[in-house]
Amino acid sequence: MSDDQALGITESKEYNTGEWYAEVVQKAGLANYGPDGMSGFIITRPRGYALWEGIQNYLDGQFKATDVQNAYFPLFIPESYLEREKDIVEGFDPEVAWVTHGGNQELEERLAVRPTSESIIAPYMAQWVRSHRDLPLRVNQWCSVVRWEATDTKPFFRTKEFLWQEGHTAHETEEEAYEETMTRLGQYRSLYEDVLAMPVMRGKKPEHDKFPGADTTTTVEALMPDGKSVQAGTSHYLGTSFAAAFDLTYSDEDEEELPAHTTSWGLSWRSLGALIMTHSDDQGLVVPPTIAPEQVVIVPIYQEDTEEKVLDYAEDLREELAEAGVRVELDDRDERNPGFKFNEWELKGVPVRFEIGPHEVDDDEVTVVHRPDGEQAVESRSDVVDAVEDHFDEVYAKLYARAEENLTENVRDAEDRASILGTIGQHGGYVRAPWCGKEECETEIKETISAEIVMVPFEDDEERHHPDVADGCTCAICDDEATETAFFAKSY
Amino acid sequence: MSDDQALGITESKEYNTGEWYAEVVQKAGLANYGPDGMSGFIITRPRGYALWEGIQNYLDGQFKATDVQNAYFPLFIPESYLEREKDIVEGFDPEVAWVTHGGNQELEERLAVRPTSESIIAPYMAQWVRSHRDLPLRVNQWCSVVRWEATDTKPFFRTKEFLWQEGHTAHETEEEAYEETMTRLGQYRSLYEDVLAMPVMRGKKPEHDKFPGADTTTTVEALMPDGKSVQAGTSHYLGTSFAAAFDLTYSDEDEEELPAHTTSWGLSWRSLGALIMTHSDDQGLVVPPTIAPEQVVIVPIYQEDTEEKVLDYAEDLREELAEAGVRVELDDRDERNPGFKFNEWELKGVPVRFEIGPHEVDDDEVTVVHRPDGEQAVESRSDVVDAVEDHFDEVYAKLYARAEENLTENVRDAEDRASILGTIGQHGGYVRAPWCGKEECETEIKETISAEIVMVPFEDDEERHHPDVADGCTCAICDDEATETAFFAKSY
C-alpha cells in the first residue's frame, strides 16, 4: 500500500466534484493517467478493471441468454470503408487515429483505428446472410475503440481510447429490429437498476441528435449527484440504410431479395464512471455488493495477548464465507492498526466490514458495519454467514434509494424559456418541457446555458410526459404546437 | 446456412495440409480473411470466437485462482518508450504499425500500436511498487496486439493482429520469479493437456533464441500432424534487466532499494490454430467436448407419420440435457435431410451426435455417435443423460491418444549432422541430438533444411534428454563437448 493512498480523499464531492472524482479514481486504485505524449489515455488498474469485468459478466450473460454471439473484427478499418459510410451518412467526419506506416513502409491506404465498427462489420454480415433462414443474425464484440477528441481527460467518462461492447444485428422486418433495439435497451436498464443500484430513464434522442444514419436512437440516461445527465448506453434501430449501403440483403420465402433491418447498440466503461460518481463519497469509493471486488472485509482488533484467538476466529470466519461464495478479504496485516484499515477499505469501497475483537470472540458474535452510512449490527457467529446476503441487500437498497431520491427530486417542469433556464441554472437536474420538435428551440437553450435535450420519453411512457402536452399546448420556447416532451439537462 | 459450407471439405489434410487448414477454418465458420488492403487480418466469426472464449475462460480461472489480477493498458505506446526498451535490449527493432495522425493533426511523437506491452506496463508497475509489502505484483491483460510482419496469412497462426494474454509480474527474489515462470508454463501445459486434448513438451529456448532481454525463456511445444512444431505458449524469467531499465525497485525490510525480479508470459490464439490443426480431419473441424460450442447435436430422423413423436422425444431429451448443463443443439430443420445434417455438424466439429428415429422412440433408446471415429453406441433413454459425460470422456481420450501417439512416434534420436538432416527430411517431427550450446551449430542445420532448435529440455527432465549427453559425448554437429540436448524441428 503506497503512502498517497493512505492519506485519504481531500477534495469535496459537493463543492469540487471534478477534482473529487479524479482523486477517488486514483486513490481507490482504479486508474492512472497515461504517460506524457498520451494525454487522453488511462491505465485501468486491477481494482478498476475488476469492476468492468463485473459489468461485462452481467451483460455478456444477458446477451448470450438472448441469442447474441460474440465475435472479433479487426482493430483497423481501411479509409475507403469509412468513406463508404460517409456517403450514406451526411456529415460523418470521424475524428480518428490514423495508421500510416507498417514497420518502415508507408501504407498504400491509411487505416483508421476503429472508432466504431459498423463499416467493417456490415460487409461481413452481408457475406454471411443469404436467405431469411440466416436471420436474425446477432453479433457482439467486446473491444476498445479510439476517438481522437481533444478534451480534458476524465477517466472512464472522457478518454481517447475506451472499452465497450458493440452489438450488431440484422432482421427480416422493422418490427423485429425495433423489438431487438428495445430488448438491448432493457438489458442496459437492468444492468443499472439490478446490478449498479442506479435508477435510469429510458427514452429517445431527438431527431437531430440521433446516431448518424439511424432511424431511431434510444438511450438510458442516469442523473449524477452534481445534476448532470449521463448518456449511459444507446441502442439504435438503423432502418435499412446501412443494409442498403453495404448490400446486406436476404432472399425471402419467395426468393425476393430484400435489404435487412439492422440495429446496433453499445455500452462503454462510461457506465463505470457513472457508477463511481453516483455512489462514492468524501471517504472514497462506494459500490454495491453486487459488483464489489471484495464484498466483505474482516478487520481483526487485538492486543498481543488476544492476537491468536482473534486471528483464529477471523480466519475461520473468512474460510466459511469464502466457501459460501462470498468475496471476502481478511486484513491481518500486523503493521497497520484497525483505524487505518477501516479508512483504507472505506476508500477502496468494500461495502460490508466485519469487526472482530476479543469481545466478539468471547460472545460468539461479529460486528457488521455498512458502507457508506456506518450503520452497525451485531450478528451471532452462527448466523452471520446466512445473514450476509441480507446485509448485502440492505446496502444495495440504501444506495438505490439515495440515487432514486436524487432522480425523483430533480425532475422539474417548466413551461417557458425563462423557467427552463432558471430552473436548470438554479437546481441542475432535468427540466421537462413541452417541445415542438425543432432543433432551433433546443439551440436557444444550449447557447445560453449549455443544457440540451438529453431525452424524449417513449410515446407509451405516459407518466414521463409533461402533463400539458397531451392536453394540447405550445412549445415552451416557440409558439408552435408542442408535439413531445423534452428533457433538458446539462450532460457529461 | 450458406451453400459453400454445405459442400464440405475438398482438400486433404495429409497431402495439402495448408490448403486443407484454410478450408476447415472458413467452412466450419471459424474465420474469414480480411478485406482488400488489409491482408494479414482476419475476422473471427462466432464459432471461432467461442473456442477462444473457452480457452480464455479456462486460463483466466487458473490465473485468478493463483493471485493474478486483470488490468488494461493503452493500445498505443509512445515511440520513446519503445526506444527505452531498445537501449537495454540490443537489436530490438519491432515491426510495428505507427499512428502518426489524430484526426487532422500530425502527432508530435508517433505512437506504436502495441506489439507487446512490457515498455508501458513496467513504468506503471514501478509506480505501484514501493516496498517489499507490495510484492509479488501480478497483472495480466487480454487484448490484441499488432506485429507488422509481411508473411502469408494463416488464420490464428500468422496474422498481423492477434488476440492473446500477456501476464507481467514482479517479485523480491530470483527464486520466486523463477517459480512464477514455471507456474504459468504449467498452466499453459494444463490448458493443452486437460482441455484441448493435446500433449505438449515443456522446455527452454536456446540462449540465442530467448525473448530479447530475458534471462530464461520457457516454452510449451506441440507437434502438429504434418511434423512441424508449434511454440504454443511462452513464459519468461526476465531477471532484473527490465526492472533496472524502468526503475521497478522496492525497499526491502532494511529499507534498502533493490530492483525487482520480473516475469512475463503469453499465450495467443495460435493455441486455437494448433487445436484445429491437431484434431480436425477431411470431414472438417474436430474439437474435444471440453471446449466444443455444442457438445451434443440431436438429429431427428422421421417420415411424415412419425414426425410428431420423434420431435417430441427429441425436444424432451434436449431439455433434459440442457438442464443438466450440457451444451446441446436440436437440429429440427425440416428443409434438410438427416444425411445433410450429419455432414454439416461433422464439418462444424460437434463431438457427439444423438440420432433419434422411430425405432429409438419405440425402444426408449438413443443412438450415440462419436466424432471423429464414427463409433456408435445405443443407450437407453433413461440412462443417456447420465452417460453423456462418459461419452465425452471417451471422445477426449481418443483424441488425446491419437495426438500422443503422433508425438511419441515422432521423437527420434540422431548423433551426427547427416542423420539430423536425413531424419527430419524423411519423417519431420523432432530429432533430439547432443549439442554444444553454440548458435553456429544450429545455423548449419537451419540453412540446409530450415529446421531449428525449438526446445532444450529442463535439466531435471531426465527422460527427455538424449541418453549420450549424461555419459559425456560430443556435439552432433561440431567436435565440442555436448552440454545439452537439442530438439530440432521445423516449426510454424
Side-chain angles (χ1 to χ4, degrees), chain A residues 1 32-35 38 43-44 46 53 64 70 72 75 81 96 98 100-101 103 124 128 133-134 161 335, chain B residues 1 32-35 38 44 46 53 64 70 72 75-76 81 96 98 100-101 103 124 128 133-134 161 335:
Chain A
M1 188 48 45
N32 288 156
Y33 288 86
M38 285 189 65
I43 282 75
T44 310
E53 285 183 311
K64 284 180 176 152
N70 286 333
Y72 186 74
L75 172 60
Y81 275 60
V96 299
W98 292 106
T100 57
H101 289 73
Y124 282 91
W128 303 336
R133 292 192 195 91
D134 301 319
E161 179 188 13
E335 72 274 15
Chain B
M1 187 50 43
N32 288 155
Y33 288 86
M38 286 190 64
T44 310
E53 285 184 312
K64 284 181 174 148
N70 286 333
Y72 186 74
L75 171 61
F76 303 140
Y81 276 59
V96 299
W98 292 106
T100 58
H101 289 73
Y124 283 91
W128 302 337
R133 292 192 195 91
D134 301 320
E161 180 188 12
E335 72 272 15

Side-chain angles (χ1 to χ4, degrees), chain B residues 39-112:
Chain B
S39 72
F41 290 82
I42 61 170
I43 281 75
T44 310
R45 299 184 64 174
R47 299 188 69 80
Y49 198 79
L51 293 172
W52 178 239
E53 285 184 312
I55 291 171
Q56 280 192 304
N57 287 341
Y58 179 78
L59 271 188
D60 202 62
Q62 295 283 309
F63 293 161
K64 284 181 174 148
T66 47
D67 299 319
V68 177
Q69 298 179 298
N70 286 333
Y72 186 74
F73 290 80
L75 171 61
F76 303 140
I77 301 177
E79 185 166 18
S80 56
Y81 276 59
L82 284 187
E83 293 290 332
R84 199 168 166 189
E85 195 170 344
K86 215 169 177 174
D87 289 345
I88 53 159
V89 184
E90 208 183 322
F92 181 76
D93 189 14
E95 289 287 301
V96 299
W98 292 106
V99 173
T100 58
H101 289 73
N104 299 315
Q105 299 285 313
E106 185 166 358
L107 303 181
E108 283 183 29
E109 177 180 5
R110 59 183 191 161
L111 302 173

Side-chain angles (χ1 to χ4, degrees), chain A residues 474-485:
Chain A
T474 57
C475 172
I477 295 120
C478 74
D479 288 334
D480 288 355
E481 190 195 346
T483 51
E484 37 199 344
T485 297

Side-chain angles (χ1 to χ4, degrees), chain B residues 159-173:
Chain B
T159 49
K160 288 200 177 88
E161 180 188 12
F162 56 90
L163 296 179
W164 79 344
Q165 59 69 218
E166 49 178 319
H168 301 267
T169 72
H171 307 263
E172 285 185 67
T173 64

Side-chain angles (χ1 to χ4, degrees), chain B residues 178 202-206 216-219 454-459:
Chain B
Y178 197 80
R202 293 175 313 148
K204 296 188 209 186
K205 288 287 167 187
T216 308
T217 287
T218 67
T219 180
V454 295
M455 194 195 90
V456 171
F458 292 115
E459 274 174 36

